[in-house]
Amino acid sequence: MCKLESLFILLLLFGKASLLNNGLARKPPMGWMSWGYYLCSVDCEKYPRKCLNEKLLLSVADMFYNRGYQEAGYEYIVIDDCWSEKRRSVNGRLVPDRKRFPKGMEAIAEYIHARGLKFGIYTNIADITCMHYPGSKGHFIEDAKMFAEWGVDYIKVDGCFVGEAYLNTAYMRFGQQLNNTGRPMVYSCSWPYYIEFIHKKTPDYATISRHCNMWRNYHDVVTSWDSIKDIIRHYQSSYDQLSPYHGPGHWNDMDMLIFGTDSLTESQSRVHIAVYAMMSSPLLLSCDMEKITEYERELLLNLELLAIAQDPLGIMAKPYELDNSITLWMKPHLPRKGNQYHAVSFALVNLEDRSSSITFIPGLYGLNSTEEYTVMVIFL
């Protein structure tokens, strides 16, 4: 028995896994994205410390390069909504805000690429974005070519302000235009979120997983522990629906990590990253990188934890509800021989604001090999 917030146990067993061979996002993307913390922070004169501009993106690249994040696998730097002028140019092109991005996005991409990192950007499949900047409807071909010309490596595509039928065709059409450019760009869709929560229908994950590298399923994260708990509980309750379509090249995206925002205690931070790692969710920070605490940095750069998060099999952990509000998450991963994998991680997670004690029998949750086991315990 032990008091716990999160606990990993690595054990040997047997099982199977399957892979999708689409060439992109073979492991869950890791990096940084602006929205969760910066939102649409465009008033740089009034809020210079929370400003969505060129300086911010370049500073994240420097931080990744100089402080060990890149070596640990964090590579994408993604700007979300509110990066453009309010109108397209006279020739119909999207234009980066001239004051906040005076050198343009191509120069930012070059700076990021020079440090061995990758650049991501945002658009929406409607006429306007969620924050009422120009969207890509009617401009799929031109915008895809433009993003490729700028050196974009990752594109997040939102789905505000359009109907169900359009959602179910536009994401496929825009994805095809991205493919037609010949430039590999990770394609992050919000398609299932809008189908389920705006149009109240069941997403067709079989189709979505053939056309997107990753997708948002649930509400935007906000900088609070209640938001993280809500997200975790949603994925726990939706495991049977989501897990068959999750793996290399096609990921359920739990949304951004909120480290560096003064929103979580140390124990809450442990649970936050522990569950995301077990789920093989993309790990995208959203914060002022200067505000990440040393404790949070240790979690983010914990290579044993990241090995579980980035395991090539990419299996989504299965949740089991135990006593005392504890959930056991079970995730098979490498090493593997042939069709048999030889390892599993267990994470015992407590979402409540009190310590709990629990016992469990691993044999009841897939640990049934008659061979001997090697056990590694990681306390976060």
Side-chain angles (χ1 to χ4, degrees):
M1 300 179 68
C2 63
K3 290 185 177 181
L4 57 93
E5 279 112 2
S6 59
L7 166 68
F8 283 89
I9 305 176
L10 179 66
L11 301 156
L12 302 185
L13 78 165
F14 297 95
K16 298 180 180 179
S18 61
L19 299 175
L20 173 67
N21 185 23
N22 73 351
L24 292 173
R26 303 309 301 172
K27 296 180 181 180
M30 296 171 57
W32 178 96
M33 181 177 287
S34 62
W35 183 259
Y37 178 73
Y38 288 90
L39 302 175
C40 196
S41 300
V42 298
D43 190 342
C44 297
E45 293 183 5
K46 187 174 182 180
Y47 302 106
R49 290 287 302 165
K50 196 170 184 180
C51 171
L52 194 62
N53 63 3
E54 179 181 290
K55 180 181 178 181
L56 171 64
L57 298 184
L58 302 188
S59 72
V60 175
D62 291 340
M63 191 75 69
F64 274 16
Y65 185 75
N66 294 323
R67 298 197 182 179
Y69 294 96
Q70 180 189 25
E71 293 176 328
Y74 297 88
E75 59 178 344
Y76 291 97
I77 298 172
V78 185
I79 187 165
D80 210 291
D81 204 350
C82 309
W83 59 265
S84 75
E85 294 280 346
K86 284 288 191 173
R87 292 181 177 82
R88 288 178 176 264
S89 70
V90 292
N91 60 0
R93 288 172 66 91
L94 292 170
V95 180
D97 184 282
R98 293 177 176 86
K99 290 184 178 180
R100 293 182 290 119
F101 304 98
K103 297 178 182 177
M105 292 303 178
E106 191 169 3
I108 292 175
E110 289 175 357
Y111 188 96
I112 290 171
H113 292 157
R115 283 146 185 78
L117 299 164
K118 297 179 180 178
F119 175 54
I121 207 164
Y122 166 101
T123 190
N124 187 28
I125 55 172
D127 292 310
I128 55 175
T129 71
C130 298
M131 297 304 295
H132 299 270
Y133 287 76
S136 288
K137 186 175 182 180
H139 299 273
F140 286 179
I141 296 174
E142 307 98 291
D143 287 359
K145 290 180 178 179
M146 180 187 63
F147 293 142
E149 291 169 2
W150 286 353
V152 169
D153 306 293
Y154 174 120
I155 182 162
K156 175 182 174 180
V157 182
D158 225 330
C160 298
F161 311 129
V162 295
E164 176 191 356
Y166 181 77
L167 282 166
N168 287 330
T169 59
Y171 275 106
M172 291 187 285
R173 290 190 288 110
F174 189 61
Q176 184 59 56
Q177 295 307 323
L178 294 175
N179 291 336
N180 289 346
T181 68
R183 181 173 181 81
M185 290 181 270
V186 172
Y187 188 26
S188 174
C189 305
S190 297
W191 185 357
Y193 170 78
Y194 287 95
I195 292 295
E196 182 168 357
F197 290 98
I198 304 302
H199 301 290
K200 310 300 181 184
K201 300 291 181 63
T202 300
D204 179 0
Y205 281 105
T207 298
I208 292 166
S209 65
R210 290 195 299 268
H211 293 277
C212 302
N213 292 117
M214 52 190 283
W215 48 82
R216 286 284 310 286
N217 316 78
Y218 196 57
H219 304 303
D220 285 359
V221 67
V222 298
T223 52
S224 76
W225 172 234
D226 284 342
S227 176
I228 297 302
K229 289 196 295 183
D230 192 37
I231 289 170
I232 291 172
R233 286 169 173 150
H234 171 76
Y235 282 87
Q236 181 174 339
S237 65
S238 302
Y239 171 83
D240 290 338
Q241 178 191 20
L242 301 179
S243 61
Y245 306 102
H246 183 92
H250 48 96
W251 307 102
N252 293 294
D253 179 7
M254 298 178 74
D255 209 7
M256 291 156 275
L257 296 169
I258 59 169
F259 286 9
T261 62
D262 299 320
S263 303
L264 305 175
T265 65
E266 288 186 353
S267 61
Q268 291 165 356
S269 297
R270 292 195 294 272
V271 171
H272 186 14
I273 196 167
V275 176
Y276 277 47
M278 289 294 289
M279 294 287 284
S280 291
S281 176
L283 299 179
L284 298 169
L285 287 157
S286 190
C287 62
D288 180 341
M289 292 294 296
E290 294 285 356
K291 293 184 177 180
I292 291 178
T293 67
E294 186 57 34
Y295 183 80
E296 290 173 328
R297 183 173 179 272
E298 289 176 2
L299 289 177
L300 292 168
L301 300 183
N302 184 316
L303 297 183
E304 293 174 328
L305 179 62
L306 292 179
I308 294 171
Q310 291 278 287
D311 178 71
L313 299 183
I315 296 172
M316 185 173 161
K318 184 173 183 177
Y320 297 91
E321 292 189 25
L322 306 181
D323 295 332
N324 299 332
S325 302
I326 304 299
T327 300
L328 173 68
W329 298 82
M330 190 275 287
K331 176 179 179 175
H333 51 78
L334 291 178
R336 183 179 70 172
K337 289 184 179 180
N339 292 326
Q340 294 180 328
Y341 48 70
H342 289 233
V344 64
S345 289
F346 289 109
L348 292 166
V349 175
N350 177 12
L351 293 180
E352 301 304 321
D353 296 328
R354 62 181 184 276
S355 297
S356 297
S357 298
I358 196 71
T359 60
F360 77 101
I361 302 172
L364 298 177
Y365 307 101
L367 192 67
N368 53 17
S369 172
T370 57
E371 298 184 7
E372 64 181 25
Y373 302 99
T374 299
V375 178
M376 179 177 69
V377 179
I378 307 172
F379 287 95
L380 297 180

